[in-house]
Amino acid sequence: MNYHVYLPRLIGIEQSFFMLDGPLLLVYVSSLTEEGRFRAWAYWGHFLPFFTVLLYAVFLFYDSSEAEVLERFGDKLQSLQRSRSGNLRYDERFFILVVCLSLLYYGLASLSLVRKYRLRIKASFSYTEKITLDWLRMVVISWVLFFAMPLMIFLINFYTEWLPLYLTDLPLVFGFLIMIFIPAYYAFRQLNNRTLSLEMNNQQILQEESQDSAKNLEINPSNSYKKSGLKEEQALAYQNRLQSFMEQEKPYLNADLTLSILAEALKISPNHLSQVLNERLNRNFFDFVNEYRVEEVKKRLTSPEFKHYTLFAIAEDCGFKSKSSFNSIFKKFTEMTPSEYKGKIGEGN
């Protein structure tokens, strides 16, 4: 579309939108992973490069007539031709480099937010099904990979001119297609399985459950509880109460067990319970609860009462929500799969 001919004052404006993609990704990921603490206005500074380039493009031809703009349009066509051959001016190369680095930076920053979100889940939840935002993680990883490739091609071309610069078009096109396809695929799958609303509800619960735990995970662990007011004697009493409650009442059999539910049952604040787990037992909530579940599975595998139960039936009764999570967690604590463990028990008998 030759919009430059019909709207010549728009020349160069499209370049500014390259500076918009990264900040929009960061804001989107932040809105999903930090819902309870998300403030859109806090990200305004990330959009300054976009508005700077946009205003520059708008005012570049502000005092020129349309005829003068079209006369200078030839330079743009020559620039496009140079980009195909790789023979760009240094200012043009610098702009492309800044764009590539910006896209890569925002991809990595967004990936960091997803990683912290997943850590917060394990600080407050005993399960991860439907709340890990795996689809968002795939989107961000794809973003990083597909925008890292054009950057590598550009850098090789910048120093050696060995590769034609137009090769950057292919990964960029595929990158943008991935950005469209993956979210659409996961959104369709979630809607089809009626799990999207559940995941959104779980995200809201997560913000309420782990706001304190998030702060503990994102700063130096040695300093995270200095202002909690929990004394050593009280922490020891809480630890004993916790372990006794876990062994006698077996709350881990509840597949939906969370930090706040357990804290309420123990009459302990969630922050103090988190402190006891992290400092005295060297465990996050996820590992602490699931270790009890694994031990319960092991006991039932040796019990004649559960002889005719399948492995996953036993796992479900012990609080596991999916076969895949059961297998991975069981192997983490026993260094063998559930089937291998069951076979080993059979050989012993």
Side-chain angles (χ1 to χ4, degrees):
M1 181 177 179
N2 297 324
Y3 70 90
H4 303 93
V5 176
Y6 302 103
L7 299 170
R9 294 185 185 279
L10 294 183
I11 292 176
I13 286 181
E14 79 278 6
Q15 306 295 331
S16 63
F17 288 95
F18 286 110
M19 311 301 295
L20 189 60
D21 297 330
L24 284 177
L25 175 70
L26 183 66
V27 170
Y28 177 64
V29 172
S30 299
S31 68
L32 293 178
T33 60
E34 300 184 350
E35 186 177 341
R37 301 173 296 161
F38 175 72
R39 300 291 183 271
W41 55 264
Y43 293 87
W44 70 269
H46 294 275
F47 293 90
L48 284 178
F50 161 71
F51 287 112
T52 301
V53 177
L54 178 63
L55 291 174
Y56 173 77
V58 169
F59 288 105
L60 182 63
F61 301 115
Y62 181 77
D63 293 327
S64 303
S65 65
E66 292 190 0
E68 291 174 331
V69 173
L70 287 173
E71 183 179 351
R72 298 178 62 182
F73 179 50
D75 293 337
K76 181 174 180 64
L77 292 176
Q78 293 176 10
S79 177
L80 291 172
Q81 184 63 36
R82 287 197 303 272
S83 69
R84 292 296 176 182
S85 64
N87 186 26
L88 290 168
R89 297 196 310 263
Y90 276 95
D91 60 328
E92 295 168 334
R93 289 170 180 258
F94 178 75
F95 178 76
I96 296 175
L97 178 61
V98 169
V99 168
C100 290
L101 289 175
S102 171
L103 293 172
L104 187 58
Y105 165 78
Y106 281 105
L108 294 174
S110 300
L111 193 60
S112 177
L113 288 178
V114 176
R115 182 187 66 83
K116 291 178 181 178
Y117 171 86
R118 293 162 73 91
L119 285 176
R120 293 202 299 274
I121 288 176
K122 293 191 175 183
S124 299
F125 284 76
S126 64
Y127 60 93
T128 58
E129 289 78 7
K130 298 186 178 70
I131 60 174
T132 54
L133 295 179
D134 285 333
W135 66 271
L136 182 62
R137 183 167 173 263
M138 286 296 299
V139 168
V140 177
I141 289 176
S142 300
W143 174 286
V144 172
L145 291 178
F146 279 94
F147 287 122
M149 285 190 289
L151 178 60
M152 292 175 60
I153 293 173
F154 174 78
L155 290 176
I156 293 174
N157 178 274
F158 187 87
Y159 289 106
T160 66
E161 297 189 1
W162 178 54
L163 293 173
L165 200 61
Y166 66 80
L167 288 179
T168 61
D169 291 350
L170 295 177
L172 280 174
V173 169
F174 281 112
F176 282 115
L177 287 176
I178 288 293
M179 294 307 106
I180 296 171
F181 174 75
I182 291 183
Y185 168 75
Y186 278 99
F188 175 78
R189 192 178 74 169
Q190 289 174 335
L191 288 171
N192 189 49
N193 293 334
R194 302 188 179 208
T195 60
L196 182 59
S197 60
L198 175 61
E199 179 160 349
M200 296 306 292
N201 288 338
N202 280 332
Q203 286 181 49
Q204 182 61 38
I205 295 172
L206 176 63
Q207 304 305 328
E208 298 171 359
E209 289 276 348
S210 61
Q211 191 166 8
D212 291 333
S213 302
K215 296 176 182 177
N216 295 335
L217 285 165
E218 293 171 5
I219 58 179
N220 188 346
S222 63
N223 298 324
S224 58
Y225 299 108
K226 282 189 174 182
K227 297 181 180 180
S228 72
L230 183 63
K231 299 185 181 300
E232 184 69 21
E233 299 80 7
Q234 190 178 19
L236 178 59
Y238 284 167
Q239 177 185 347
N240 293 334
R241 189 194 306 180
L242 169 64
Q243 292 174 324
S244 176
F245 185 79
M246 294 293 288
E247 293 169 3
Q248 295 175 15
E249 302 298 329
K250 299 184 177 182
Y252 52 84
L253 298 181
N254 175 11
D256 296 317
L257 184 66
T258 64
L259 183 74
S260 66
I261 291 175
L262 184 57
E264 183 178 356
L266 292 167
K267 303 291 190 290
I268 301 174
S269 76
N271 194 50
H272 283 171
L273 178 56
S274 177
Q275 182 176 353
V276 170
L277 290 171
N278 292 332
E279 290 190 343
R280 299 195 63 85
L281 299 177
N282 196 28
R283 289 280 192 279
N284 59 39
F285 182 74
F286 180 85
D287 286 340
F288 174 74
V289 173
N290 281 292
E291 189 171 10
Y292 275 95
R293 289 172 176 167
V294 168
E295 291 301 318
E296 185 68 22
V297 169
K298 290 165 65 177
K299 289 178 185 178
R300 296 191 182 194
L301 285 175
T302 59
S303 172
E305 182 182 353
F306 298 94
K307 183 178 180 181
H308 301 292
Y309 282 58
T310 65
L311 270 172
F312 186 57
I314 294 175
E316 280 189 308
D317 285 344
C318 293
F320 290 101
K321 285 194 168 191
S322 70
K323 189 173 182 179
S324 59
S325 65
F326 167 57
N327 288 336
S328 62
I329 293 170
F330 191 93
K331 188 170 184 179
K332 176 181 180 179
F333 289 109
T334 64
E335 297 185 349
M336 61 180 72
T337 66
S339 299
E340 290 172 345
Y341 184 84
K342 186 177 182 180
K344 184 178 179 182
I345 292 176
E347 291 175 0
N349 295 333

